[in-house]
């Protein structure tokens, strides 16, 4: 059996980032923030997007990060569950705070306490495996010796599959519509429809009162490309995984999983 190419996991932006990390629609980012935190900010200009575009470590990229008042928010969308999310957020936070310290001329060696915004880490899960509406993941769970951890990162994972977290969805129309859109594309895909056609069908059938509707229609080609990229990646990784199981290359498979280049779910 011929060898397959290991797909580059540094692929194009996901639909989640396309919607909630878009500087032209910061009102959707603000709406999502308010829904999660129970706040009522009304000025989208309060959002200062600082998404980390240049962090590449084992193919990982930050989806959306932003400052608002005194909070540094880190958002990531995940279609395949990984318990290593806190470790990734720890890396994102380090890069983000480096940039913040530099841009605000903060002296970390000062004899006075230097104030920085508090972190808020949220993972939006919309994979096909069943998960609870809310799961708390901690970096300390990964420590080989967790008797007295000196560093902790806590990530709140929210299930944003359609039908989950109703209160959150009701509070954030763009998130509810995003959830519906992903679900409809998957339903069309399950029927054997070509993925590009599945996206087209979903776009054409999107309710007219959806706030994200016109944006997605105006960017139809980009939306289709986002789904096609992710869909092809999932198929390639599944085929690659199956081949290694068949050929008994379990040691190599285990190493790829350990490095985060492959998932078994």
């Amino acid at each position: 059996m011929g060898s397959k190419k290991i797909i580059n996991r540094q692929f194009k932006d996901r639909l989640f980032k396309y919607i909630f990390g878009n500087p032209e629609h910061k009102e959707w980012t603000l709406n999502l923030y308010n829904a999660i935190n129970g706040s009522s900010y009304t000025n989208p200009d309060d959002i200062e997007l600082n998404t980390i575009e240049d962090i590449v470590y084992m193919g990982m990229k930050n989806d959306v990060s932003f400052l608002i008042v005194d909070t540094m928010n880190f958002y990531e969308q995940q279609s395949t569950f990984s318990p290593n999310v806190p470790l990734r957020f720890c890396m994102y936070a380090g890069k983000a705070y480096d940039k913040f310290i530099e841009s605000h001329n903060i002296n970390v060696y000062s004899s006075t306490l230097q104030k920085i915004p508090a972190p808020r880490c949220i993972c939006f899960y919309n994979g096909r495996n069943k998960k609870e509406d809310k799961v708390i993941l901690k970096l300390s769970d990964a420590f080989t010796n967790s008797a007295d951890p000196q560093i902790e990162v806590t990530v709140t994972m929210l299930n944003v599959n359609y039908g989950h977290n109703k209160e959150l969805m009701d509070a954030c129309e763009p998130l509810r519509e995003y959830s519906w859109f992903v679900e409809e594309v998957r339903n069309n895909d399950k029927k054997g429809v070509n993925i590009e056609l599945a996206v087209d069908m979903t776009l054409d059938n999107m309710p007219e009162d959806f706030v994200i509707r016109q944006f997605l229609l105006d960017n139809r080609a980009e939306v289709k490309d986002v789904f096609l990229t992710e869909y092809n990646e999932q198929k390639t990784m599944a085929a690659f995984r199956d081949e290694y199981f068949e050929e008994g290359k379990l040691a190599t498979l285990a190493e790829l999983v350990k490095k985060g280049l492959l998932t078994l779910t």
Side-chain angles (χ1 to χ4, degrees), residues 185-247:
V185 171
R186 286 177 176 172
N187 287 338
N188 288 325
D189 177 47
K190 289 177 184 177
K191 297 175 184 176
V193 177
N194 174 280
I195 190 65
E196 291 186 79
L197 180 57
V199 174
D200 272 327
M201 292 170 60
T202 303
L203 286 169
D204 293 338
N205 293 327
M206 197 184 318
E208 293 188 6
D209 62 346
F210 274 22
V211 297
I212 67 172
R213 179 177 182 272
Q214 196 57 52
F215 172 71
L216 296 185
L217 289 175
D218 290 344
N219 297 277
R220 181 185 291 260
E222 288 81 0
V223 173
K224 290 168 64 175
D225 191 41
V226 165
F227 268 94
L228 187 61
T229 301
E230 184 172 358
Y231 179 79
N232 285 340
E233 184 208 41
Q234 291 173 351
K235 285 181 59 179
T236 302
M237 294 306 291
F240 183 76
R241 179 187 61 228
D242 292 344
E243 175 184 332
Y244 268 72
F245 270 124
E246 291 175 5
E247 296 183 0

Side-chain angles (χ1 to χ4, degrees), residues 172-184:
C172 183
E173 286 186 58
L175 183 64
R176 175 172 54 81
E177 295 165 5
Y178 161 81
S179 178
W180 176 91
F181 191 88
V182 172
E183 181 71 11
E184 285 300 301

Side-chain angles (χ1 to χ4, degrees), residues 69-84:
V69 190
D70 57 357
T71 306
M72 182 89 77
N73 299 273
F74 302 98
Y75 290 176
E76 179 182 325
Q77 176 265 323
Q78 186 179 78
S79 56
T80 301
F81 172 74
S82 171
N84 301 306

